[in-house]
Every structure is written in C-alpha cells, then in structure tokens.
Amino acid sequence: MDIKEIENLIRFVSSQKNVGEVEIEKKDFKLVIRKPAQNIVAAPQYIQATAVPAPQMSAPAAQQTIEAPKANAENNAPAAVASNLITIKSPMIGTFYRSSSPDKPSFVNVGDEVKPGKPVCIIEAMKLFNEIESEVSGKIVKLLVDNATPVEYDQPLFLVEPN
Amino acid sequence: MNQFAKIKPNTQFIGQNIIYFKCIDSTNNAALDWIKNNSCENGNIFITDFQTNGRGQQSNIWESEPNKNLMFSIVLNQQTTLLNPFLLNKITAYSLFQSLQKSLNNSQFIKIKWPNDLYFKQKKIAGILIENNFLGNKINYSVIGIGINVNQKFTNNDNINATSLFQICEKEQDRIRLFQEFIEVFEFNLLHFQSLEIENQFTKSLLGYNQTEEFNINNEIIKGTIVNCDEFGRLSVLINDQIKAFNHGEIKQII
C-alpha cells in the first residue's frame, strides 16, 4: 500500500459518518484508521491514522497524522466542543473587545458565572459597536481570543460550562 | 423649555415617544440604561439640549453648545426586523444625507464620508454612533445615536475640522423642523429600503465616489477610486485595475 492509497482510505473513512474504524491486515503490514469517538459527530474532524508497519517498512509510514480535508485551523481551539461545553461565537466580522472602553473592567473573566442577557464582549466593526450577550447560563471556562484582535464570523470566543 | 414636546411626527413608530433631557451625559447611554431597566419600545427617541459626554469613536468628544444642535438616539427593537447592522448604518447615513441636503437647497457639497460621517466640503457636520445588542448571534436591539451641528458657531480658534448649518447658511436654522423631517425620512427609508435602493443611493453619495483620489493604506499613499460599499460595510476601491475591499481602519481617505 502506498501513501496515496492510505490517504484515499483516510478520506473515505472521514467522509463516512457511520464508520468509526477500519482495520487492514496483510502478511507483513497492518493499518488501523480510527476516529476518536466524538469525531464521528463533532465538527473538528481530525482523523488519526495509525499505521503499524512491519520492521522492514520505511520510517515515513509510521505514526502519521493526516489532516482530513474538512479540518481547518479555525476549528483548532474548540477541540472540547464535543464535550458538554457551549461555545459563544462571534455574530460578525470585527474586532473583539473584552470591555466597553479601555478604562473599564472586562465584562467577564475565566471562572465568572454568566446568565442569559449578561454582556460578555464588544465586537466593533465599521465604527458600529456590537454588544454580545450570553444566551446561556454557566461558567466561563476558557477565553479563546485576545483583547483587541480581529475575529471572523462564527469564530468561537468563549467556552462556557453550562449549569 | 422642551421644544420637542410639541412635535407630532407623521410616522408609524419612530418618534411617537420622545424622552427629553435638558442635560445628560449621552443620549445613547440614556437609551441603553432605559432598555436595560425597562423595556425596548420600538422607535423611542431620547433627546437632549446639552450633552456633557457625547461619545464618538475612540472616545472622541462631540463638542456642542447648549440648545444649538441636535443630539438624539433612536431605539430600534430588532427582534422582528433583524436588520443587518451594516444595512442599518447605510439607511441612517443616507437619511441624514437627504435631510441635510434638503436644508441646504439640494447642495452638492453634502457627502457621506465612509463609513458614517456627514461632511460639507471638507468639514464634518454630523455624526452617527450605532450600538447594537446581540443575544448570542441574533440581533436584539439597536441604538442609533445622531449628532448634527445646526446653529453652533465655530471660530477659527476652535481649530477643529467641523462646520454647522448656521456656518454654511449664515443664518439660524429651525432645528425642530430638521429633527422632524429627519425622523420622517428615516422611517420611510427603513420601511422601503429595498424599493428605494438605499444601498445603491448610499454608495453614490459617498465622498469621493467614482473619483480618483489619494488614500493612505499601511502608511503608503496610493491612488484609487471608490466603487462600492459592500454588504459587510467594506469600502471597495479600484487600485491599479483591481478592486480591493477594506475594513474600517485599513484605509484612510485623504481629504
């Protein structure tokens, strides 16, 4: 089996919602492609391909991780999405601010409780100021974006542990 | 005295309820506080004769003499309208453009400086500060703050790049009438923005539209032509036979 065939196989497995694992065994060669359990349903589709080569096989085939076509850098951060955490996302392209003005304290910090209607940040775009309120109640467990940095539409901003 | 109390605008909801303050820090803050403590009544207007801390972008202070200008904030309940914030900005700026143009006998010198300042020749005459509130990813309400220099007198010592209707016409203007005209045209545009092609009208009213002029892009002076303002509010500029779209802050028009 060459690298192209392995890639194609990984692509095939990643495209099949109901396939979690494929195992191929030949006389001197065994290949297991296994999706982490949550990846069968979750958005960030990183597929782990673990080739278990026989001793005579060349090194490059060993322990490779190949990115499935759907995955992209943006989905990198919220790997925990598949757990019970809820992501607060940006409703628009703009600049992310943690407070209403530089001399004011941040709306929320890690560990703070939020409830529906609690402001969490400002997204400024084209001189329009957009205050984003939480829709959920829970605890902020992670900040995913630095203050005063650009954000894309739908980019995850906070992880909330619901209560 | 509250002169705004006598206004009966010919509208369905904009300005049917006008809340007047003789003096307040900022009408946007008053509107936002009101909504948080009470309810968001569609079309309510908060207006004052003197603003002590009018906010502009990056805490620019809107300089204003008492009883001379127009400073007000309109509340829009967006739970049913769900207007795209960039479209709302265009409707607001174009309505202000129309009202000012009418006050100045259809002057060709009134222009919208992207994204939302109003200019007469090279000087600012009115400004807009829109604050939107989102619940999660859904727009909830908008507060549209507007400041218009009506009868303020500027001296050369003021050293600010601003003008007023008085300064241009050399006579006092009826700011109550201007206010009423604005809210009526604003509601009409809000209700008919598609058939009126407001987005297109906005673009055509931009300062520098379809003219070759200089821009500062990354501290470089580059010649270009404004050709559009897209659905995300970005300015599309034709530079060396290529159209590029810029966010606010990425490009500065040299005027």
Side-chain angles (χ1 to χ4, degrees):
Chain A
M1 240 180 145
D2 67 21
I3 188 80
K4 264 255 124 37
E5 287 175 83
I6 296 173
E7 273 180 18
N8 285 337
L9 195 57
I10 290 166
R11 224 166 265 138
F12 169 75
V13 173
S14 72
S15 69
Q16 299 298 305
K17 271 207 180 95
N18 301 322
V19 179
E21 187 174 328
V22 169
E23 197 172 310
I24 295 170
E25 195 163 1
K26 293 184 178 174
K27 65 180 190 311
D28 58 354
F29 172 80
K30 183 179 170 186
L31 175 72
V32 183
I33 300 170
R34 184 181 301 128
K35 286 197 254 190
Q38 70 267 31
N39 275 354
I40 297 170
V41 287
Q45 303 212 344
Y46 285 97
I47 311 306
Q48 288 241 319
T50 314
V52 186
Q56 68 266 41
M57 269 192 82
S58 59
Q63 288 294 331
Q64 50 184 310
T65 305
I66 297 170
E67 221 174 80
K70 265 189 181 169
N72 59 44
E74 214 180 280
N75 286 333
N76 228 334
V81 157
S83 73
N84 65 334
L85 298 182
I86 295 170
T87 312
I88 299 177
K89 295 175 177 175
S90 177
M92 54 170 33
I93 298 175
T95 307
F96 170 84
Y97 292 103
R98 290 186 58 197
S99 62
S100 58
S101 65
D103 54 331
K104 297 261 171 67
S106 296
F107 289 113
V108 287
N109 291 299
V110 169
D112 287 357
E113 294 287 333
V114 291
K115 55 183 189 348
K118 162 77 183 164
V120 292
C121 65
I122 300 269
I123 307 288
E124 194 237 298
M126 304 293 163
K127 276 171 80 182
L128 310 176
F129 292 81
N130 305 285
E131 184 182 72
I132 316 303
E133 293 180 348
S134 175
E135 272 184 306
V136 296
S137 70
K139 191 167 85 178
I140 302 277
V141 292
K142 200 168 164 61
L143 275 157
L144 302 169
V145 181
D146 289 332
N147 190 43
T149 54
V151 290
E152 296 293 324
Y153 171 74
D154 239 11
Q155 183 172 336
L157 307 173
F158 300 94
L159 290 181
V160 179
E161 190 181 280
N163 57 20
Chain B
M1 196 192 83
N2 175 13
Q3 300 168 298
F4 298 100
K6 63 183 180 199
I7 296 178
K8 293 275 171 284
N10 180 19
T11 56
Q12 293 172 30
F13 57 99
I14 302 286
Q16 288 302 311
N17 233 333
I18 296 173
I19 298 111
Y20 170 81
F21 303 87
K22 194 168 163 45
C23 171
I24 196 154
D25 61 341
S26 117
T27 53
N28 265 32
N29 284 352
L32 291 166
D33 282 351
W34 178 275
I35 295 165
K36 296 213 161 153
N37 295 316
N38 300 281
S39 64
C40 174
E41 280 166 74
N42 203 17
N44 272 12
I45 295 183
F46 295 76
I47 192 161
T48 189
D49 273 323
F50 187 52
Q51 200 162 243
T52 55
N53 188 21
R55 287 183 295 138
Q57 209 214 355
Q58 290 146 7
S59 56
N60 286 342
I61 305 295
W62 185 268
E63 299 289 346
S64 185
E65 280 179 65
N67 306 315
K68 295 285 186 189
N69 300 318
L70 282 171
M71 290 146 293
F72 56 96
S73 298
I74 304 171
V75 172
L76 272 193
N77 189 333
Q78 289 257 44
Q79 278 158 12
T80 51
T81 43
L82 299 176
L83 272 181
N84 162 339
F86 305 115
L87 177 60
L88 177 61
N89 180 56
K90 290 179 185 179
I91 296 169
T92 308
Y94 185 67
S95 305
L96 202 43
F97 167 85
Q98 284 181 300
S99 306
L100 290 171
Q101 209 179 40
K102 193 174 171 201
S103 298
L104 293 168
N105 299 319
N106 297 318
S107 165
Q108 299 304 301
F109 295 114
I110 285 283
K111 295 285 176 195
I112 301 166
K113 183 168 175 285
W114 176 80
N116 59 13
D117 284 327
L118 275 293
Y119 270 60
F120 179 83
K121 294 186 177 169
Q122 265 74 46
K123 292 183 170 201
K124 184 165 167 174
I125 188 164
I128 297 169
L129 178 66
I130 301 182
E131 298 186 70
N132 300 301
N133 176 285
F134 282 76
L135 192 57
N137 62 2
K138 213 172 129 211
I139 192 159
N140 194 14
Y141 58 82
S142 301
V143 171
I144 303 156
I146 290 167
I148 310 171
N149 291 339
V150 185
N151 288 321
Q152 180 148 355
K153 297 168 187 71
F154 293 98
T155 67
N156 289 334
N157 298 335
D158 285 347
N159 199 23
I160 49 170
N161 190 30
T163 190
S164 66
L165 290 177
F166 173 84
Q167 212 72 14
I168 298 163
C169 306
E170 296 178 324
K171 71 172 207 262
E172 291 268 323
Q173 300 293 306
D174 184 346
R175 64 190 181 117
I176 309 299
R177 197 183 71 192
L178 174 63
F179 173 68
Q180 179 164 349
E181 277 173 4
F182 171 77
I183 56 182
E184 287 171 359
V185 75
F186 175 66
E187 185 184 274
F188 189 76
N189 288 342
L190 202 57
L191 296 174
H192 304 101
F193 65 86
Q194 264 165 333
S195 58
L196 295 168
E197 297 185 6
I198 296 288
E199 289 205 84
N200 201 5
Q201 297 298 337
F202 171 91
T203 297
K204 287 184 182 164
S205 311
L206 286 172
L207 182 66
Y209 172 71
N210 231 348
Q211 290 166 14
T212 305
E213 47 172 28
E214 291 184 325
F215 297 90
N216 183 330
I217 304 165
N218 292 326
N219 291 322
E220 233 184 291
I221 307 298
I222 291 169
K223 276 205 163 92
T225 307
I226 295 173
V227 291
N228 193 21
C229 177
D230 70 17
E231 59 183 314
F232 304 109
R234 296 179 303 184
L235 193 67
S236 301
V237 183
L238 180 70
I239 299 167
N240 297 331
D241 298 328
Q242 265 195 320
I243 294 175
K244 288 184 187 166
F246 296 91
N247 285 304
H248 181 247
E250 291 175 345
I251 186 167
K252 200 165 182 263
Q253 219 170 332
I254 298 169
I255 54 168

